[in-house]
Amino acid sequence: MKYFSLIIGISILFSSCQEDDPQTFVPNVDHLEKGMVVLCEGLFQHNNASVNWVQLPGGAHDLNFFETKTGRSLGDTGNDMIRYGGKIYIVVNVSSTVEVMSAVDFSPVGQIEMMANGQPKQPRFMAASNGKVYITCYDGFVDVLDTTTLTIDARIGVGENPEGIAVSNNKLYVANSGGLNFPDVDSTVSVIDIATNTELQKITVGINPGAVMANDAGEVFVISRGDYGGVPSRLRKIDATTDQVVNAAYSFDISGMSEMSSTDMIVYDANGVHQFNYQSDAVVATIPLNMATIHTLYGIQYHETEDVFYVLDAMGYTNQGVIRKYDPSGTYLSGYSVGLNPTKLLFFD
Amino acid sequence: MNFSWLKNSLITGGIFLPVFAFAQVEVDTSLMQVKHIDAVHIPIVINPMPLYPVSGLTKDDIEVLNTDDVAGLAAKVPGATVRSYGGMGGLKTVSMRGLGGQHTAVIIDGFQVTNAQAGQMNLGQLQSEGLESADAGLQVHFRKLIPVSANFTGSYLQFGTFMGSHYGGKLKVKSAVRYGSFMRKEAYVQGERAIGNWSVAGFGKYRGAEGAYPFQYVNGSTQTDGIRGNNDYQDMHVGVKLSRIVNGDGNMRVIYRSSFMDQGLPGAVIFYNETADERMKTQDHRLMLDFTKNEYQSNYRLYFNAGANNMDYFDPTHLNATGYLHNTFLNLSMNGGYIHFKVYENVDLKWGGEQKVEALTGNRTTLGVPLRTSSYGLFGAKKMWGRLQAEGLAGVQLVVDNNGESQKTHVQFTPNAKLQYDLSENKPVRLEFLYKRNFRLPSFNELYFGEVGNSDLQPEIAHQFNLGYHWRLVQNYYKWQVDMNAQTFYNRVRNKIVAIPTKNLFIWSMQNVQEAQIYGAIGETRVVRHFGEDTRVELLANYTWQRVIDITQDAITYGHQVAYAPEHTANADIMFIRRGFSARISNNFVSGRYALNQNVPANYLDPFWTLDAAVGYKYTIKNKHKIGVQFNVRNLTNVSYAFIRSYVMPGRHYLLTLNYEIL
């Protein structure tokens, strides 16, 4: 009998060891305000890209915001998200789709299948201008999406495996990474005339170009990511008037950049976050974030209304991400749990 | 009144108790071992029983199960976790008791089958046709003369074909044709005969299928139907064997096998993107020779095994400069050795040595030309004191990895110890304890494959503890026979080799970063009821509970169940055989698990339970010919399930088999 009792007792004990499911508060969001929309890439072949809604500053969230609004999943590998006009555009790379949502209540507007000749175009990044959204596609094109009809008007041939894209001086600047030829990667940026949808030239900027960004003055910044070994990742600048690389000698390491103000941008890598001033053409300050509080720096965005920095922490890339908020003095304010590999934020004040 | 059943139950309870205690204090387990007991054939004498009282699958089991490949048989093993990417020929691996698939030796007809490039065999490419036995466990019986290197792994899967033993009779032929769902068709023929002291055997098989199977999956809150395309498959297998009895107690064998496979790769199911056009062709050639001498109280074996595996991968729409991706790899391996078992006064000894050379070439310039040479030495002893039996094995392996100017050397030891106590002199009741240290080397892919490879990887080390209790609950009681087996296990793995993103999300690299502990328990039974000479009912059931826990210091997932390790798995098969008629119902249950190490709802995969059924009839004509028909229904309840996220398995499908044999 004592054995029997022991077995029963320990079985009960064992049952008590089960973990409770985490509790999540899911607000019924019918208007995008006082919060942020978070695009999370997910992982390749897991179909777990997601869009999250996080209310600010409280942090109540819906980690399946896209599903809540559409009844279906976002798909595989969400790469980019922009707000343009009254709509939000989301690029889903492996699923090869562009999802279009309302920027008012996030209701679905349409899904655009990005296929060419029966093959996925593999869209990557976007930029918008003059009623068009320009989408880089890994098959070597930039697609022109009409934002009224939600149809692809044109395909513009560029280099291999284009990544980042920006608009300046009525031209598109597209980074040709050639990433699928690694280690023989590309090193050029294509310049496209928006009026004619034709490539004007290719500018050599350094191997493996990735992110592209333009400031209000029309200067175009490109990150040439090197070979992840001996050749470091470096910032390049293109004069959008002459389409020449005007400074190829920035010496700081960089893995990403994002807008901060009309005079400055944020540049960062795993070792630190800095303020780059356009006029002085140099890093002018270090934003004193305690990097030890960040597990895997995957992005950073400045929110002007709150005057805070939001750090996108990928938490080792295989765990749920965290959006961490810091004030300009580097003080950690709060953290918000989100999906896997957060990559883009849109703020709604 | 005989209360032996009560005693046994209590002892079993005692075995399980420490496991639950571990659960409470968050200790972990290790891999378990599996075997099924063939209750019909297990003799009363304890000595010849399997080392671990688990079960093996008999020829009857294998014929009725009629699986596509040996992975289908391995799934019946308690403690085995199948990772199947779906489809015939699709990648299928089996991990035992929470250890990776690379910790398991695959042995066919006494020869180990290896692949140094991947580190583990794709069980989906090993056919189940011609098999006559299948068993699995942590360590083979002391007397078994398996290759020395196969003693160094954490567990084994062992398959015996009709070509494994010397056949001394007249011509026997067996043939089959099959038709099945997804336009599957195949033909198989095998034959063997003796000529004096010689015996010759051979087989040939062709199989083809369009493979486009329908499936269902859940997208958000929507149930969706799809067709898994680019899943066509063709393979051909041929083999011959020549054996000779030498001086009455020696047996020489020469075996040659070849396999050719051509298949589409359907890839993962990607929402909104159903395109797939990659292809893979594989050729595998193996030449095996051995000589075994079975003298009085002394057995030895000389063996040699050479293999060449050619893999050709083609992606016609890769978005690179050439517009396609074409990779070819040639994997070469050769090993030879000697192993000897001898009975001395009061002690049995076993010793042996082996040399192995493995190499890889390919058209990927970054891969280099890896070359691995391994030297093995093994010594073991076994001694009995009445009903107590102690056994120890000590192995050492010297490994030298070369690739260009890079050279790494490893020396690893594999001490094993086992204690076994028979609780009864005349009944099969046994208590066993095993400790085993094993390791698995990083594969060539893990060492050298592009950015992922890391040439500084160290071997992954595992310590295994197993406590088992086996007993025959009922024997010949109104023609009932009931065998029971209970085991509990604890494993600890360090230097676990895992791929993690390093420089960024797109650049993953193999690292020795993870530690894991595994603990669990197994219960299994085989119940047989005979009704006369030629009628019987069998129940074969097993259940495994295992916790495979990440204990990597400072890991975010510390304490979480490791990805794709189900906490509960179970099998239950009922088979009825009467003269030529057979029927079988097979159940397989896999509990919920996680697609990534973080145990959060977003990574959760639903549990599934599948049900297969088979009926067959064989008719013998004048004791010379046998004709038969068998009908298998797989996934009878048409459940939607996946072992791996985004790799859906087929719904209900059918297979009709027609057999003809010359006896």
Short mmCIF file of all heavy atoms in Angstrom, two decimals, chain B residues 498-527:
data_model
loop_
_atom_site.label_atom_id
_atom_site.label_comp_id
_atom_site.label_asym_id
_atom_site.label_seq_id
_atom_site.Cartn_x
_atom_site.Cartn_y
_atom_site.Cartn_z
N VAL B 498 24.97 22.63 -32.28
CA VAL B 498 23.74 23.22 -32.80
C VAL B 498 24.10 24.37 -33.74
O VAL B 498 25.17 24.96 -33.64
CB VAL B 498 22.82 23.76 -31.68
CG1 VAL B 498 22.30 22.64 -30.82
CG2 VAL B 498 23.57 24.78 -30.82
N ALA B 499 23.18 24.64 -34.65
CA ALA B 499 23.35 25.78 -35.55
C ALA B 499 22.70 26.99 -34.91
O ALA B 499 21.55 26.93 -34.49
CB ALA B 499 22.71 25.49 -36.90
N ILE B 500 23.45 28.06 -34.81
CA ILE B 500 22.86 29.29 -34.27
C ILE B 500 23.28 30.46 -35.15
O ILE B 500 24.35 30.43 -35.76
CB ILE B 500 23.30 29.56 -32.81
CG1 ILE B 500 24.83 29.67 -32.73
CG2 ILE B 500 22.80 28.49 -31.88
CD1 ILE B 500 25.30 30.16 -31.38
N PRO B 501 22.43 31.48 -35.23
CA PRO B 501 22.84 32.68 -35.97
C PRO B 501 24.00 33.34 -35.24
O PRO B 501 23.95 33.49 -34.02
CB PRO B 501 21.59 33.56 -35.95
CG PRO B 501 20.48 32.67 -35.49
CD PRO B 501 21.11 31.61 -34.65
N THR B 502 25.00 33.72 -35.96
CA THR B 502 26.14 34.35 -35.30
C THR B 502 26.25 35.81 -35.73
O THR B 502 25.86 36.71 -35.00
CB THR B 502 27.44 33.58 -35.61
OG1 THR B 502 27.51 33.34 -37.03
CG2 THR B 502 27.46 32.27 -34.87
N LYS B 503 26.74 36.04 -36.95
CA LYS B 503 26.94 37.43 -37.35
C LYS B 503 25.63 38.17 -37.57
O LYS B 503 25.48 39.33 -37.26
CB LYS B 503 27.80 37.48 -38.62
CG LYS B 503 29.21 36.91 -38.43
CD LYS B 503 30.01 37.05 -39.70
CE LYS B 503 31.42 36.50 -39.52
NZ LYS B 503 31.45 35.04 -39.43
N ASN B 504 24.68 37.50 -38.17
CA ASN B 504 23.34 38.07 -38.30
C ASN B 504 22.37 36.92 -38.55
O ASN B 504 22.76 35.76 -38.54
CB ASN B 504 23.27 39.12 -39.43
CG ASN B 504 23.65 38.54 -40.78
OD1 ASN B 504 23.20 37.46 -41.14
ND2 ASN B 504 24.49 39.26 -41.51
N LEU B 505 21.11 37.30 -38.79
CA LEU B 505 20.08 36.27 -38.91
C LEU B 505 20.34 35.34 -40.08
O LEU B 505 19.91 34.19 -40.08
CB LEU B 505 18.72 36.95 -39.07
CG LEU B 505 17.50 36.05 -39.23
CD1 LEU B 505 17.41 35.05 -38.08
CD2 LEU B 505 16.24 36.88 -39.29
N PHE B 506 21.05 35.81 -41.09
CA PHE B 506 21.23 35.02 -42.29
C PHE B 506 22.50 34.20 -42.27
O PHE B 506 22.74 33.39 -43.15
CB PHE B 506 21.20 35.92 -43.53
CG PHE B 506 19.95 36.72 -43.60
CD1 PHE B 506 19.93 38.04 -43.23
CD2 PHE B 506 18.75 36.12 -43.98
CE1 PHE B 506 18.76 38.78 -43.26
CE2 PHE B 506 17.58 36.84 -44.01
CZ PHE B 506 17.58 38.18 -43.65
N ILE B 507 23.33 34.42 -41.30
CA ILE B 507 24.58 33.67 -41.24
C ILE B 507 24.58 32.85 -39.96
O ILE B 507 24.84 33.35 -38.87
CB ILE B 507 25.80 34.61 -41.31
CG1 ILE B 507 25.77 35.36 -42.64
CG2 ILE B 507 27.09 33.82 -41.18
CD1 ILE B 507 26.93 36.25 -42.86
N TRP B 508 24.27 31.58 -40.13
CA TRP B 508 24.24 30.66 -39.01
C TRP B 508 25.55 29.88 -38.99
O TRP B 508 26.20 29.71 -40.02
CB TRP B 508 23.07 29.69 -39.16
CG TRP B 508 21.72 30.34 -39.04
CD1 TRP B 508 21.26 31.42 -39.75
CD2 TRP B 508 20.66 29.96 -38.16
NE1 TRP B 508 19.98 31.72 -39.36
CE2 TRP B 508 19.58 30.85 -38.40
CE3 TRP B 508 20.51 28.96 -37.20
CZ2 TRP B 508 18.38 30.76 -37.71
CZ3 TRP B 508 19.30 28.87 -36.53
CH2 TRP B 508 18.25 29.77 -36.77
N SER B 509 25.90 29.43 -37.86
CA SER B 509 27.14 28.69 -37.75
C SER B 509 26.98 27.58 -36.71
O SER B 509 26.23 27.74 -35.74
CB SER B 509 28.28 29.64 -37.34
OG SER B 509 29.46 28.91 -37.11
N MET B 510 27.68 26.49 -36.93
CA MET B 510 27.62 25.39 -35.98
C MET B 510 28.50 25.74 -34.78
O MET B 510 29.63 26.21 -34.93
CB MET B 510 28.13 24.08 -36.61
CG MET B 510 27.45 23.71 -37.92
SD MET B 510 25.64 23.65 -37.85
CE MET B 510 25.38 22.45 -36.55
N GLN B 511 27.98 25.50 -33.59
CA GLN B 511 28.71 25.81 -32.37
C GLN B 511 28.51 24.70 -31.34
O GLN B 511 27.46 24.07 -31.30
CB GLN B 511 28.20 27.13 -31.77
CG GLN B 511 28.29 28.33 -32.70
CD GLN B 511 29.69 28.85 -32.89
OE1 GLN B 511 30.52 28.77 -31.98
NE2 GLN B 511 29.98 29.36 -34.07
N ASN B 512 29.53 24.53 -30.48
CA ASN B 512 29.40 23.62 -29.32
C ASN B 512 28.87 24.42 -28.15
O ASN B 512 29.60 24.76 -27.24
CB ASN B 512 30.76 23.05 -28.92
CG ASN B 512 31.29 22.01 -29.88
OD1 ASN B 512 32.25 22.27 -30.59
ND2 ASN B 512 30.68 20.85 -29.90
N VAL B 513 27.62 24.78 -28.16
CA VAL B 513 27.17 25.71 -27.13
C VAL B 513 26.13 25.14 -26.19
O VAL B 513 25.90 25.70 -25.13
CB VAL B 513 26.60 27.00 -27.75
CG1 VAL B 513 27.68 27.76 -28.47
CG2 VAL B 513 25.44 26.69 -28.68
N GLN B 514 25.53 24.08 -26.56
CA GLN B 514 24.36 23.69 -25.79
C GLN B 514 24.64 22.51 -24.88
O GLN B 514 25.44 21.64 -25.21
CB GLN B 514 23.22 23.35 -26.74
CG GLN B 514 21.85 23.62 -26.17
CD GLN B 514 20.77 23.42 -27.20
OE1 GLN B 514 20.76 22.44 -27.93
NE2 GLN B 514 19.83 24.33 -27.25
N GLU B 515 23.98 22.54 -23.75
CA GLU B 515 23.97 21.36 -22.88
C GLU B 515 22.53 20.94 -22.68
O GLU B 515 21.62 21.78 -22.66
CB GLU B 515 24.61 21.67 -21.54
CG GLU B 515 26.11 21.86 -21.64
CD GLU B 515 26.78 21.80 -20.28
OE1 GLU B 515 26.42 20.91 -19.48
OE2 GLU B 515 27.64 22.64 -20.02
N ALA B 516 22.35 19.66 -22.56
CA ALA B 516 20.97 19.17 -22.38
C ALA B 516 20.98 18.02 -21.40
O ALA B 516 21.98 17.29 -21.27
CB ALA B 516 20.39 18.72 -23.73
N GLN B 517 19.89 17.89 -20.71
CA GLN B 517 19.72 16.70 -19.90
C GLN B 517 18.38 16.08 -20.25
O GLN B 517 17.42 16.77 -20.60
CB GLN B 517 19.83 16.98 -18.42
CG GLN B 517 18.79 17.91 -17.86
CD GLN B 517 18.98 18.09 -16.37
OE1 GLN B 517 19.90 17.53 -15.78
NE2 GLN B 517 18.13 18.87 -15.75
N ILE B 518 18.36 14.80 -20.20
CA ILE B 518 17.20 14.05 -20.67
C ILE B 518 16.86 13.01 -19.61
O ILE B 518 17.76 12.31 -19.14
CB ILE B 518 17.54 13.34 -22.00
CG1 ILE B 518 18.09 14.35 -23.03
CG2 ILE B 518 16.32 12.63 -22.56
CD1 ILE B 518 19.03 13.73 -24.02
N TYR B 519 15.63 12.96 -19.24
CA TYR B 519 15.22 11.89 -18.34
C TYR B 519 13.84 11.43 -18.72
O TYR B 519 13.06 12.17 -19.32
CB TYR B 519 15.27 12.32 -16.87
CG TYR B 519 14.47 13.55 -16.54
CD1 TYR B 519 13.14 13.44 -16.17
CD2 TYR B 519 15.06 14.80 -16.57
CE1 TYR B 519 12.40 14.57 -15.84
CE2 TYR B 519 14.33 15.93 -16.25
CZ TYR B 519 13.00 15.81 -15.89
OH TYR B 519 12.28 16.93 -15.58
N GLY B 520 13.57 10.21 -18.42
CA GLY B 520 12.27 9.69 -18.80
C GLY B 520 12.09 8.24 -18.43
O GLY B 520 12.92 7.66 -17.71
N ALA B 521 11.03 7.69 -18.91
CA ALA B 521 10.69 6.31 -18.59
C ALA B 521 9.95 5.68 -19.75
O ALA B 521 9.30 6.36 -20.54
CB ALA B 521 9.83 6.26 -17.33
N ILE B 522 10.08 4.38 -19.79
CA ILE B 522 9.46 3.60 -20.86
C ILE B 522 8.69 2.44 -20.23
O ILE B 522 9.20 1.78 -19.32
CB ILE B 522 10.54 3.02 -21.80
CG1 ILE B 522 11.29 4.13 -22.51
CG2 ILE B 522 9.92 2.05 -22.80
CD1 ILE B 522 12.53 3.63 -23.20
N GLY B 523 7.54 2.21 -20.74
CA GLY B 523 6.82 1.00 -20.38
C GLY B 523 6.38 0.31 -21.66
O GLY B 523 5.95 0.97 -22.60
N GLU B 524 6.53 -0.97 -21.73
CA GLU B 524 6.09 -1.66 -22.93
C GLU B 524 5.66 -3.08 -22.59
O GLU B 524 6.07 -3.66 -21.58
CB GLU B 524 7.16 -1.66 -24.00
CG GLU B 524 8.46 -2.30 -23.59
CD GLU B 524 9.48 -2.25 -24.71
OE1 GLU B 524 9.09 -2.46 -25.88
OE2 GLU B 524 10.66 -2.03 -24.43
N THR B 525 4.86 -3.60 -23.45
CA THR B 525 4.37 -4.96 -23.23
C THR B 525 4.11 -5.63 -24.57
O THR B 525 3.88 -4.98 -25.58
CB THR B 525 3.07 -4.96 -22.40
OG1 THR B 525 2.70 -6.30 -22.13
CG2 THR B 525 1.93 -4.28 -23.17
N ARG B 526 4.21 -6.95 -24.50
CA ARG B 526 3.78 -7.73 -25.66
C ARG B 526 2.94 -8.88 -25.11
O ARG B 526 3.41 -9.65 -24.27
CB ARG B 526 4.97 -8.25 -26.45
CG ARG B 526 4.55 -8.93 -27.74
CD ARG B 526 5.70 -9.00 -28.73
NE ARG B 526 5.25 -9.31 -30.06
CZ ARG B 526 5.93 -9.09 -31.16
NH1 ARG B 526 7.11 -8.51 -31.08
NH2 ARG B 526 5.46 -9.41 -32.34
N VAL B 527 1.75 -8.96 -25.59
CA VAL B 527 0.81 -9.98 -25.12
C VAL B 527 0.46 -10.88 -26.30
O VAL B 527 0.11 -10.41 -27.38
CB VAL B 527 -0.48 -9.32 -24.58
CG1 VAL B 527 -1.46 -10.39 -24.09
CG2 VAL B 527 -0.15 -8.34 -23.47
#
